[in-house]
Amino acid sequence: MNKKLKITALLTGRGNNTLKDKNIIKITGKAVLAYPCIASKKSKKIDNFFSSSDDNKILKISNQYGFTSIKRPKKISKQNTKHRDVLIHAISYLKKKEILPDIFVVLLANSITIKTKWIDDCIKLMEKNTKITAVVPVIKNNDHHPFRAKKIDKGYLKSYIKLKKNISTNRQELPGNYFLCHNFWVIKTKEILKNKGELPWKFMGNFVMPYVVDYSLDIHEQRDVHLSKEWLIKNFKSFRK
């Protein structure tokens, strides 16, 4: 691809969570949201940096890392707010500033499991292939394979999927099963606007390329804070004692 793509990082996070202030809980001395900010700032491929939130504390801290604030209205800052609504609001804001990017690097404020290399690798994949509509980190997890999933129907366990042939009970023998990570996503802006991709993340388009990582965790409860800290210490020498 000859044309240099315009790329914007957008940190998204709201206040009033089940785990109080989960996006700004300190882990090894820094707020949770600081880690995606730092990782994206180290990328030489990103042109602009913004943060979208209804919470002034989130906006203030992200501003300290060079992210321009986009104050999100309360109507799209609820527990059931869809991520696309947040992205559309940010797109509308950036259009007025005349800096609408070709690509968004969407950073989720409640995950520290992110590396600059991961971000750059995902952007490079999109630069090489114009067909790709998004590149997202995924983790392999055959323990929770859809072939093994059950629902309760009239008091009994029934399969979600009607299988036409025998399936092994051994997870190792099942086809690879991958879950979308909630640490960051690299998405073409036009796909967010079209919103005609594969469910449930329609705003990612129909050609979403996986970027397989070994671990990802988004923080929702106190236990996740401890696990995130362990990952940080394991993956970055500067945090080891």
Side-chain angles (χ1 to χ4, degrees):
M1 186 177 293
N2 295 323
K3 176 190 171 186
K4 184 184 183 304
L5 296 171
K6 294 179 288 184
I7 303 173
T8 289
L10 179 70
L11 179 78
T12 64
R14 65 179 178 86
N16 193 28
N17 307 114
T18 304
L19 177 61
K20 183 176 173 57
D21 289 334
K22 67 179 182 181
N23 298 309
I24 60 174
I25 290 172
K26 286 195 174 182
I27 298 180
T28 65
K30 293 184 179 67
V32 168
L33 67 81
Y35 294 96
C37 288
I38 293 168
S40 62
K41 271 288 185 175
K42 288 180 179 178
S43 171
K44 291 182 172 60
K45 292 184 170 292
I46 302 174
D47 306 303
N48 297 293
F49 302 83
F50 291 86
S51 57
S52 167
S53 183
D54 62 315
D55 191 313
N56 288 330
K57 290 178 287 187
I58 290 173
L59 294 174
K60 182 179 179 180
I61 295 172
S62 60
N63 187 253
Q64 292 171 359
Y65 289 93
F67 281 65
T68 301
S69 298
I70 301 176
K71 189 62 182 288
R72 195 191 306 175
K74 293 292 182 184
K75 66 180 180 180
I76 55 168
S77 301
K78 301 176 182 178
Q79 193 171 15
N80 62 350
T81 295
K82 304 298 185 289
H83 223 112
R84 181 176 179 267
D85 294 334
V86 175
L87 299 179
I88 291 296
H89 177 259
I91 287 171
S92 177
Y93 175 91
L94 293 174
K95 274 183 177 179
K96 294 175 184 177
K97 299 291 182 180
E98 298 183 348
I99 50 173
L100 191 64
D102 300 302
I103 291 173
F104 274 101
V105 177
V106 181
L107 307 166
L108 284 79
N110 66 324
S111 178
I112 71 168
T113 50
I114 182 170
K115 297 179 181 180
T116 305
K117 183 182 184 302
W118 293 357
I119 295 172
D120 285 345
D121 285 350
C122 290
I123 293 172
K124 287 174 185 176
L125 287 169
M126 190 170 282
E127 288 174 334
K128 290 178 182 178
N129 187 344
T130 57
K131 185 178 180 179
I132 295 171
T133 56
V135 185
V136 298
V138 296
I139 51 173
K140 186 176 182 180
N141 187 333
N142 273 22
D143 282 336
H144 299 96
H145 201 287
F147 290 169
R148 307 173 104 191
K150 300 291 181 182
K151 61 183 176 181
I152 298 176
D153 185 4
K154 297 178 182 178
Y156 296 96
L157 290 175
K158 300 291 183 180
S159 295
Y160 267 101
I161 300 171
K162 287 189 177 182
L163 301 171
K164 296 181 179 179
K165 61 179 181 179
N166 288 332
I167 297 295
S168 175
T169 57
N170 297 330
R171 61 182 173 82
Q172 296 90 342
E173 297 178 47
L174 296 175
N177 179 58
Y178 297 88
F179 283 96
L180 195 81
C181 298
H182 282 71
N183 48 1
F184 74 94
W185 309 319
V186 179
I187 314 171
K188 283 183 177 175
T189 305
K190 65 180 181 180
E191 299 300 330
I192 298 171
L193 294 168
K194 286 194 296 186
N195 198 35
K196 293 183 178 180
E198 188 173 340
L199 291 169
W201 295 279
K202 291 170 64 178
F203 59 86
M204 291 185 180
N206 282 308
F207 301 98
V208 182
M209 179 163 281
Y211 179 75
V212 182
V213 297
D214 57 359
Y215 188 78
S216 179
L217 179 68
D218 40 318
I219 295 172
H220 295 294
E221 56 188 24
Q222 194 61 45
R223 181 179 68 116
D224 300 330
V225 175
H226 300 299
L227 291 173
S228 295
K229 182 179 179 180
E230 288 178 5
W231 180 87
L232 196 67
I233 293 170
K234 180 181 178 181
N235 283 270
F236 295 94
K237 291 180 181 179
S238 58
F239 294 106
R240 297 173 194 166
K241 293 181 179 180

